[in-house]
Amino acid sequence: MNRMTGVPSRWNGRAEQLPQPAGAEPGAGAPSTGRPRKPLAPVGSIVAALVALSLTACASPDRGGASAPPAGSAAAITPPAPAAEASSGRFQWRGGPTAILERDGLRLLTDPVLGPRGPAVFVLPKHPSTGVENAPIARYTDPPAEPLGHLDVILLSHNHADHFDAVAKETLPKDVTFVLPPDAVEAARAAGFTKLTPLDWDQETVLPTRAGRLRILAVPANHTHDAALDATLGKGNGYVLRWEGATPYSIYWTGDSVFGEPMRAVAARFAPIDLWLPHLGAVGVDGARGLRTMDAEEAVAAAALLRARHVIPIHHTTFAHYREPVTAFTQRAAAKNLPAQIHVPTDGAWMPLPR
């Protein structure tokens, strides 16, 4: 297992605080660490350095040929700051459904989509909005340059190209514990992965941690409200992660799921949830067969039912088939006075797991 300090290596944002109900405890921003410094070099050297920095900051990086994210996407949102009180873990969003979770000595990677920015990073059998077959999908942002590092667990929600891409299949270490739906086992084995732990709905696996254990429970992830289409798209998982020990902590990662009875059942069983990781983007909202992931309205309703203390929305901004910017969620949450604290992640930045 990897060694963890429990302290984020990097943080570059501010917390997005939504209206809180009476008596709620607001989060505090990160403390300032800046202090005046006396010049240690001649003035001319300092001016030259400042000019160089200014030119570097103003330069436009060449990041490939994909077009920019739609207006109103997360790229236009001021990033969050850490919550006032952090657990012993940390979190890094790496675009789309891909994130790293670290807690109590375990490092988990979700839905690895690792290919670079470009106009056709993968192909969907049928575009969820237009219905066009073999539709190429653009990626607007590169994955973070920081290497993935040591991994203890890979968590897969389902075997679609926008959740488990060719680069991930080729480059990820093959001897990592791989928790996945039974329908994805054949593809993972064909890619060379050897430590497969298939979980059907309501099955769990338990892993030892530094100070206790982690329970990983598979829960239903219904890709759409259309039952026939849901069956065609295949059986996917969400996961409830529960760290047990001196400092228990719970995370519910939805996978590609719309809000329905299965998610209500998760709420009835596990609410309140410490941290909710919903897949947003309203994929398919403008298509003939409707939503393939939650839109803002569904996500706010689900967060309220789950009594989520904190929400980190993922699965937005990165890819061209996402149809709704993350601002739609934050604005609706504010309008509904959602008591959860929402932290819109900065792509590639580390943040503490909020408590």
Side-chain angles (χ1 to χ4, degrees), residues 90-297:
R90 62 179 187 163
F91 173 90
Q92 184 193 46
W93 182 48
R94 299 182 69 91
T98 309
I100 294 176
L101 295 164
E102 287 185 357
R103 195 174 197 275
D104 203 10
L106 288 181
R107 184 178 175 100
L108 298 85
L109 175 69
T110 69
D111 277 3
V113 187
L114 308 180
R117 177 185 183 183
V121 294
F122 51 79
V123 173
L124 295 182
K126 184 175 288 188
H127 197 286
S129 296
T130 65
V132 171
E133 295 185 354
N134 299 318
I137 303 296
R139 179 167 186 153
Y140 296 132
T141 59
D142 279 315
E146 179 183 344
L148 288 171
H150 171 77
L151 298 173
D152 297 297
V153 181
I154 300 170
L155 279 176
L156 187 68
S157 66
H158 62 300
N159 182 37
H160 287 177
D162 54 336
H163 292 261
F164 188 25
D165 70 355
V167 175
K169 291 175 181 177
E170 180 180 350
T171 62
L172 286 174
K174 301 302 186 285
D175 58 349
V176 175
T177 296
F178 200 146
V179 179
L180 70 175
D183 285 358
V185 166
E186 183 178 346
R189 185 176 288 125
F193 294 91
T194 59
K195 294 181 65 176
L196 304 180
T197 304
L199 294 182
D200 208 341
W201 295 349
D202 211 33
Q203 292 182 339
E204 71 173 20
T205 186
V206 181
L207 302 175
T209 66
R210 191 168 49 198
R213 59 186 181 178
L214 169 63
R215 291 185 178 274
I216 302 175
L217 175 73
V219 297
N222 296 111
H223 218 316
T224 172
H225 294 290
D226 183 322
L229 178 59
D230 195 48
T232 299
L233 293 172
K235 193 174 182 180
N237 287 350
Y239 295 95
V240 176
L241 312 177
R242 290 170 291 161
W243 279 264
E244 298 176 345
T247 56
Y249 194 75
S250 61
I251 296 176
Y252 173 27
W253 171 43
T254 67
D256 273 5
S257 181
V258 292
F259 179 44
E261 288 304 322
M263 201 174 290
R264 291 185 177 92
V266 171
R269 186 174 175 184
F270 295 108
I273 292 287
D274 291 313
L275 174 61
W276 189 44
L277 298 176
H279 283 197
L280 301 185
V283 174
V285 68
D286 51 352
R289 304 186 78 171
L291 288 171
R292 309 286 179 90
T293 59
M294 284 178 287
D295 62 5
E297 181 177 0

